C-alpha cells in the first residue's frame, strides 16, 4: 500500500467520497484540485502514463476488482437490461427527441427490459444495476462511465457529437473488452443544449446488436426484401442497415447516401450541407462556411462575420466569469490564454519596453452587480459538477440580496462595465506587462503587485469584427489592449490572431485609425521580461503544497478518476 500520509489530488466533489469510502480513503486524505496552484511532491505516485481520461487497462481492472470482486460477473442470462443513460436535466447535450426515441425502442423491442438511468445515490445499487446491463446507450456524458461495472461483451452505443468528439468511452470499451458502437450526431457539438438523435439509426444498431446469426440466404445491408423474396438495391438517398430489411429508410438530415445500395448514410463534412434528396453534400456558397459536420440547409452556411459572432456568443459566459472576483478572474484568464495560444501561454519573445506614451488603454474591471446576479442565474443551470465552471463555486448566491428567480435584473443607466487603466512594464509577467490600478494577491500576498496582462479570447474576437476602414471605439479599445499588452509579441497567440482574421494588415490599419504604435517582434519593441520569471512564478504557486511528503496527482484518474470523477448523470 501507499505510505501513511499520502494525499490524493482530485476534484473533491461530495459524491466522489462515496466511492472513496468503499476504497477506504478518508476525506482528510483528499486535496481538492485548485487551478491556481502548482502541486509538488517529494514522492510522486503515477500509474501507467496515458492521455487524460483514458486510463490503462490494468488500472481499470484493479478498480473493477475492488467494486465487483475478483470474478463477480453475472451469467449471461441474468444480464438482461437495456440501460439508457439520460441527460434530460443536464444543461448540455440532452436529447431533444428522447421521448420519441424511448417509445420507438419499446415498440420495436417489446420483449426487452429498458431502464432509464438518471441518478442513483446508493453506490451498491448503482453497481448492481450496471452489472445486469446487456446494452448501454445514451448521449456522450458522465452516465456512460458506469460501463466500468458492466461485463465484458456488453454492447455500448454512444451518441457522439461530430465537432471535436472525445473518444474516452471507445477507449474504455476497448480496455474492458466491450462491444462499442458510435452513432455520429449531425450538426451537434459539446456545449450544445440539445441535439436531435437519428431514431431509426438507433433502432437499426440495436437490432444488429440483439439479432442472432443471419441466414446465408438473407438480403444483405443496402437492399430490401420484396414480397417475392427477391433483394432490391436501395435507391440513392436511402439505406438499409440490417439484413432482410423490408424497407429502405431515408437518410437523417445532415447525412447522405450517394448511389444505390447504401448500407448506411454518411455525414456531410464542414463547409457543405446535405441536399434535399440526401444523395450528395452541396458546397456552401462562396465566402460562407458550415462550421459543424452535418449541416442540412443552406441557411446553416454562415458568413465570416456570422461565424465570428457565433464564436463570440459561445465565449460570453467565459467573459462574464472573467469579472466575478479576483480569484475567478485569475482562473478564467489562465484558461483563456491557454485556449488562445493553443496551450503555449509562455510562448513570448524578448524585446524592449513599450514607450510610456503608448501605455494608456481600457481594460475590464471587476464585476457589476448585474453581472453577479447573472452569474447566479448561470450557476443554477448546472447540475453536473464537471460541466460547472469552477469559478462559479466562489459565488454564494444566498448572500446576493438582489438575486431572485422571479425577478429579472435591471441595468442601471449609470453603470459602466469598464474603467480606465494603464499598462505598466513588469518584467515578471509573461507578456512583460501588467495592468496599473489592479492588485493580484496570488503574485504577492501583501497586494503590492498588479495583475499581469493575459491575451484572452474575447478580446481577440472583438478585434476580428473590426472594420479596417471605420473602426468603432470598441474595436480601438480591444486592438489597443491586444497590441499594448504584448500579445503580438507571442508567436502562438499572434499566429492564432492571424488565423482568426486579426492579421498584421488589419492591426496596422487599426493602429493608424486608433492612434497607437504597433508593438511586435518586427518593430523590435516587445516588452522585456526577466529570464527567470517562469521559474519563480511556479515556485510561488507551489508553496501551498510544498510541505507534503507524498502526493498523488490529479492524473491518479488512470486508476480511479474515471470511476469517481465521471459518476454523475
Amino acid at each position: 500500500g501507499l505510505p501513511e500520509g499520502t494525499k490524493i489530488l482530485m476534484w473533491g466533489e461530495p459524491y466522489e467520497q462515496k466511492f472513496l469510502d468503499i476504497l477506504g480513503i478518508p476525506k482528510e486524505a483528499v486535496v481538492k484540485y485548485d487551478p491556481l496552484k502548482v502541486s509538488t511532491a517529494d514522492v510522486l505516485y503515477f500509474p501507467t502514463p496515458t492521455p487524460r481520461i483514458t486510463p490503462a487497462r490494468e488500472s481499470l481492472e484493479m478498480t473493477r476488482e475492488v467494486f465487483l470482486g475478483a470474478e463477480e460477473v453475472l451469467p449471461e442470462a441474468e444480464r438482461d437490461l437495456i440501460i439508457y443513460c439520460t441527460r434530460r436535466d443536464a444543461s448540455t447535450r440532452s436529447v431533444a427527441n428522447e421521448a420519441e426515441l424511448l417509445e420507438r425502442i419499446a415498440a420495436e423491442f417489446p420483449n426487452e427490459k429498458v431502464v432509464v438511468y438518471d441518478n442513483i445515490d446508493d453506490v451498491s445499487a448503482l453497481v448492481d444495476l450496471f452489472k445486469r446491463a446487456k446494452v448501454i446507450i445514451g448521449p456522450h456524458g458522465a452516465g456512460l462511465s458506469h460501463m466500468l461495472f458492466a461485463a465484458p461483451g456488453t454492447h455500448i452505443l454512444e451518441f457522439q457529437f461530430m465537432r471535436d468528439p472525445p473518444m474516452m468511452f471507445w477507449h474504455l470499451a476497448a480496455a474492458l473488452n466491450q462491444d462499442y458502437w458510435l452513432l455520429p450526431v449531425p450538426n451537434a457539438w459539446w456545449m450544445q443544449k440539445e441535439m436531435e438523435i437519428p431514431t431509426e439509426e438507433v433502432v437499426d444498431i440495436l437490432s444488429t446488436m440483439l439479432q442472432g446469426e443471419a441466414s446465408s440466404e438473407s438480403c444483405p445491408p443496402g437492399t430490401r426484401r420484396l414480397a417475392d423474396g427477391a433483394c432490391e438495391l436501395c435507391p440513392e438517398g436511402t439505406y438499409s442497415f440490417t439484413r432482410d430489411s423490408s424497407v429502405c429508410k431515408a437518410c437523417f438530415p445532415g447525412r447522405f447516401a450517394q448511389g444505390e445500395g447504401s448500407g448506411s448514410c454518411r455525414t456531410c463534412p464542414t463547409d457543405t450541407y446535405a441536399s434535399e434528396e440526401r444523395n450528395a453534400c452541396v458546397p456552401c456558397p462562396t465566402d460562407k462556411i458550415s462550421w459543424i459536420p452535418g449541416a442540412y440547409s443552406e441557411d446553416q452556411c454562415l458568413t465570416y462575420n456570422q461565424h465570428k459572432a457565433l464564436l463570440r456568443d459561445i465565449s460570453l459566459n467565459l467573459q462574464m466569469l472573467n469579472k466575478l472576483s479576483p480569484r475567478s478572474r485569475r482562473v478564467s484568464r489562465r484558461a483563456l490564454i491557454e485556449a488562445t495560444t493553443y496551450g503555449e501561454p509562455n510562448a513570448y519573445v524578448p524585446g524592449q519596453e513599450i514607450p510610456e506614451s503608448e501605455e494608456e488603454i481600457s481594460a475590464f474591471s471587476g464585476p457589476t452587480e448585474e453581472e453577479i446576479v447573472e452569474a447566479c442565474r448561470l450557476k443554477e443551470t448546472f447540475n453536473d459538477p464537471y460541466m460547472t465552471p469552477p469559478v462559479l463555486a466562489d459565488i454564494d448566491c444566498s448572500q446576493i440580496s438582489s438575486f431572485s428567480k422571479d425577478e429579472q435584473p435591471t441595468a442601471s443607466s449609470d453603470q459602466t462595465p469598464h474603467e480606465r487603466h494603464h499598462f505598466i512594464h513588469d518584467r515578471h509577467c509573461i507578456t512583460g506587462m501588467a495592468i496599473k490600478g489592479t492588485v493580484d494577491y496570488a503574485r504577492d500576498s501583501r497586494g503590492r503587485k498588479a495583475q499581469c496582462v493575459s491575451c484572452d479570447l474575447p478580446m481577440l474576437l472583438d478585434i476580428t469584427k473590426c472594420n479596417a476602414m471605420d473602426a468603432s471605439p470598441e474595436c480601438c479599445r480591444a486592438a489597443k489592449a491586444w497590441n499594448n499588452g504584448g500579445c503580438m509579441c507571442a508567436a502562438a497567440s499572434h499566429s492564432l490572431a492571424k488565423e482568426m482574421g486579426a492579421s498584421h494588415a488589419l492591426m496596422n490599419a487599426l493602429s493608424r485609425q486608433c492612434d497607437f504604435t504597433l508593438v511586435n517582434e518586427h518593430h523590435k519593441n516587445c516588452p522585456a521580461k526577466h529570464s527567470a520569471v517562469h521559474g519563480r512564478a511556479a515556485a510561488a504557486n507551489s508553496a501551498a503544497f510544498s510541505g507534503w511528503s507524498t502526493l498523488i496527482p490529479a492524473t491518479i484518474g488512470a486508476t480511479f478518476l474515471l470511476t469517481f470523477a465521471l459518476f454523475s448523470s
Side-chain angles (χ1 to χ4, degrees), residues 186-467:
N187 204 41
W189 64 293
W190 180 53
M191 292 296 289
Q192 191 173 30
K193 180 174 177 55
E194 292 182 327
M195 53 187 184
E196 192 87 9
I197 300 301
T199 301
E200 291 303 317
E201 296 185 35
V202 175
V203 170
D204 290 336
I205 295 174
L206 284 176
S207 297
T208 303
M209 290 175 174
L210 299 174
Q211 72 182 7
E213 291 294 327
S215 168
S216 60
E217 299 179 359
S218 62
C219 291
T223 66
R224 61 181 174 183
R225 182 177 289 280
L226 302 179
D228 60 3
C231 302
E232 180 182 65
L233 292 175
C234 289
E236 61 180 16
T238 68
Y239 76 101
S240 67
F241 187 76
T242 58
R243 291 179 176 273
D244 281 331
S245 175
S246 60
V247 296
C248 293
K249 302 177 181 179
C251 291
F252 190 75
R255 296 220 215 283
F256 72 102
Q258 190 173 24
E260 296 181 334
S262 293
S264 62
C265 300
R266 300 174 61 188
T267 304
C268 286
T270 55
D271 297 337
T272 69
Y273 63 95
S275 64
E276 291 184 8
E277 298 80 13
R278 315 281 168 79
N279 60 354
C281 297
V282 182
C284 285
T286 305
D287 299 329
K288 288 190 175 184
I289 63 169
S290 59
W291 74 297
I292 301 179
Y296 52 84
S297 167
E298 184 178 338
D299 294 339
Q300 293 173 321
C301 296
L302 309 177
T303 65
Y304 177 83
N305 286 334
Q306 287 173 329
H307 183 214
K308 295 309 174 190
L310 177 64
L311 292 179
R312 175 161 180 78
D313 289 342
I314 293 171
S315 73
L316 284 181
N317 283 345
L318 286 176
Q319 187 174 10
M320 183 271 293
L321 293 171
N322 193 37
K323 303 178 182 181
L324 296 180
S325 70
R327 179 178 183 274
S328 300
R329 186 176 185 184
R330 290 193 296 272
V331 176
S332 181
R333 281 177 173 270
R334 179 169 175 172
L336 286 170
I337 192 170
E338 288 177 358
T340 305
T341 58
Y342 287 121
E344 299 179 50
N346 299 330
Y348 291 83
V349 297
Q352 304 300 319
E353 297 185 25
I354 298 179
E356 186 72 24
S357 61
E358 296 299 329
E359 290 179 356
E360 186 175 345
I361 62 121
S362 292
F364 289 130
S365 65
T368 64
E369 180 180 358
E370 181 183 1
E371 290 164 342
I372 295 177
V373 172
E374 186 60 30
C376 288
R377 296 186 188 282
L378 177 64
K379 186 175 183 179
E380 282 211 326
T381 66
F382 289 96
N383 65 352
D384 183 341
Y386 291 94
M387 293 298 299
T388 307
V391 295
L392 288 178
D394 293 341
I395 307 171
D396 184 0
C397 294
S398 65
Q399 303 300 317
I400 307 298
S401 59
S402 59
F403 176 59
S404 170
K405 299 178 184 178
D406 303 320
E407 298 179 5
Q408 294 293 333
T410 57
S412 173
S413 59
D414 60 352
Q415 279 184 329
T416 55
H418 304 91
E419 295 178 4
R420 302 293 291 177
H421 288 292
H422 298 275
F423 278 154
I424 55 175
H425 180 241
D426 189 327
R427 291 174 177 268
H428 298 282
C429 291
I430 57 176
T431 64
M433 302 298 291
I435 304 174
K436 186 177 181 180
T438 62
V439 176
D440 189 344
Y441 291 100
R443 299 185 63 204
D444 183 273
S445 60
R446 299 181 181 179
R448 295 176 299 183
K449 292 186 179 294
Q451 292 180 352
C452 292
V453 173
S454 62
C455 306
D456 58 38
L457 189 56
M459 186 195 310
L460 177 58
L461 292 174
D462 278 335
I463 301 171
T464 63
K465 293 184 177 181
C466 295
N467 187 329

Side-chain angles (χ1 to χ4, degrees), residues 18-26 62-63 66-67 560 563-564:
K18 295 181 296 184
F19 296 92
L20 296 180
D21 290 342
I22 295 176
L23 295 171
I25 299 176
M62 183 190 309
T63 306
V66 171
F67 283 94
F560 301 123
T563 308
F564 309 132

